[in-house]
Amino acid sequence: TAIIEARDAHLAFGQTPALRGATLAVGDGEIVAVMGPSGSGKSTLLHCLAGILVPDRGEILFDGARVDRLDETRRSTLRRDRFGFVFQFGQLVPELTAEDNVALPLLLGGARRADAVRRARSWFARLGLDGLEQRRSGELSGGQAQRVALARALVAEPRVLFADEPTGALDSLTGEQVMDLMVDAARANGTTVVIVTHEARVAAYADRQVIVRDGRVHALAGARGAS
Ligand code: ADP
Ligand code: ADP
């Protein structure tokens, strides 16, 4: 059964159509890669699924409930409590330590500082970040920063992780390390993952690959589990 779903979603930015009847159902615990050419609507679809954008027409469902009918405050709460986000870059607060960056979602969710820091720290060993807890995020390498971003996305144990070109700023070896860690952590926790990528190598980590073309979602012919 689907945990997150877009049904016939349409969205235009002014005169520019971005989604033109996008339909995608992602199963609970499934890892789906969303591929397709630049400008085809991949990010817009991800932002609609994640409750960042609301489609002009169509439905977005999380766990069977209509996300597109929620107001911005409730969608913001849903994002904070149920979703994790990893983007290409620019997501860490440079003045904060790596540890505080990871603890931030918990603190924003009302956790006590000591609890938030303890839970944040548990991710450092898990993601091969031991010893980097007190680094300012501006002093991390690209791969380290992306692993810290991954820890921050996962620390509140989201139901769904949304990753938009998570390896886009990394060399291929570092990108593969980040993908290995992301997929391992998601499988261990039963986290559903939606990854937007234009890299076939990254998409290969997913259970299923779909292609967005002109604002619509297509199964990748011949892909494992495509329907
Ligand atoms: P992709 O992620 O596949 O590259 P996007 O979803 O970012 O595609 O964009 C789909 C279409 O919507 C493109 O034509 C893009 O230029 C346009 N678009 C995306 N975001 C905006 C925005 N904030 N304002 C105006 N046009 C946008
Ligand atoms: P792009 O898809 O063009 O690379 P990003 O994916 O980095 O852009 O961000 C797209 C938009 O989503 C930005 O306006 C950003 O502020 C917003 N955004 C990113 N993370 C969140 C979040 N956790 N909650 C709400 N909005 C977010």
Side-chain angles (χ1 to χ4, degrees):
T1 102
I3 182 77
I4 189 93
E5 192 171 353
R7 289 186 185 162
D8 197 26
H10 290 70
L11 178 62
F13 295 101
Q15 298 299 310
T16 310
L19 297 181
R20 302 197 297 178
T23 294
L24 176 65
V26 180
D28 201 4
E30 192 180 22
I31 299 179
V32 171
V34 178
M35 303 194 67
S38 180
S40 60
K42 302 183 295 297
S43 288
T44 304
L45 174 62
L46 181 131
H47 293 150
C48 285
L49 289 169
I52 295 169
L53 290 173
V54 175
D56 301 324
R57 202 141 72 68
E59 301 180 4
I60 305 295
L61 296 106
F62 169 69
D63 215 1
R66 289 284 292 273
V67 173
D68 55 285
R69 288 195 173 148
L70 302 178
D71 62 22
E72 169 55 28
T73 306
R74 287 189 172 80
R75 282 185 286 112
S76 163
T77 303
L78 177 71
R79 294 196 298 268
R80 191 192 66 207
D81 293 348
R82 296 279 181 264
F83 299 159
F85 295 89
V86 180
F87 295 102
Q88 189 168 351
F89 36 48
Q91 47 200 325
L92 299 178
V93 182
E95 296 80 14
L96 293 183
T97 63
E99 178 177 276
D100 284 345
N101 267 283
V102 176
L104 202 53
L106 298 174
L107 294 170
L108 294 174
R112 290 212 317 250
R113 182 165 174 86
D115 292 334
V117 168
R118 187 172 40 75
R119 284 174 67 186
R121 278 190 190 151
S122 72
W123 281 91
F124 280 76
R126 201 164 163 187
L127 296 184
L129 293 165
D130 263 330
L132 298 177
E133 291 86 346
Q134 304 306 323
R135 286 275 179 96
R136 307 276 150 193
S137 64
E139 299 162 357
L140 299 170
S141 73
Q144 288 167 347
Q146 203 60 333
R147 278 179 283 153
V148 172
L150 182 59
R152 189 172 72 178
L154 294 172
V155 71
E157 297 178 12
R159 288 294 296 281
V160 186
L161 175 66
F162 293 98
D164 195 347
E165 300 284 4
T167 63
L170 305 176
D171 65 65
S172 50
L173 184 62
T174 310
E176 280 172 33
Q177 285 168 353
V178 167
M179 286 306 301
D180 278 329
L181 291 164
M182 182 190 295
V183 167
D184 285 353
R187 298 253 189 251
N189 292 13
T191 311
T192 302
V193 186
V194 182
I195 309 168
V196 165
T197 183
H198 62 268
E199 296 179 71
R201 201 169 35 76
V202 170
Y205 283 84
D207 299 320
R208 179 160 65 107
Q209 303 176 13
V210 299
I211 305 243
V212 177
R213 279 204 192 85
D214 299 329
R216 290 190 197 88
V217 184
H218 304 272
L220 183 68
R224 232 176 351 132
S227 55

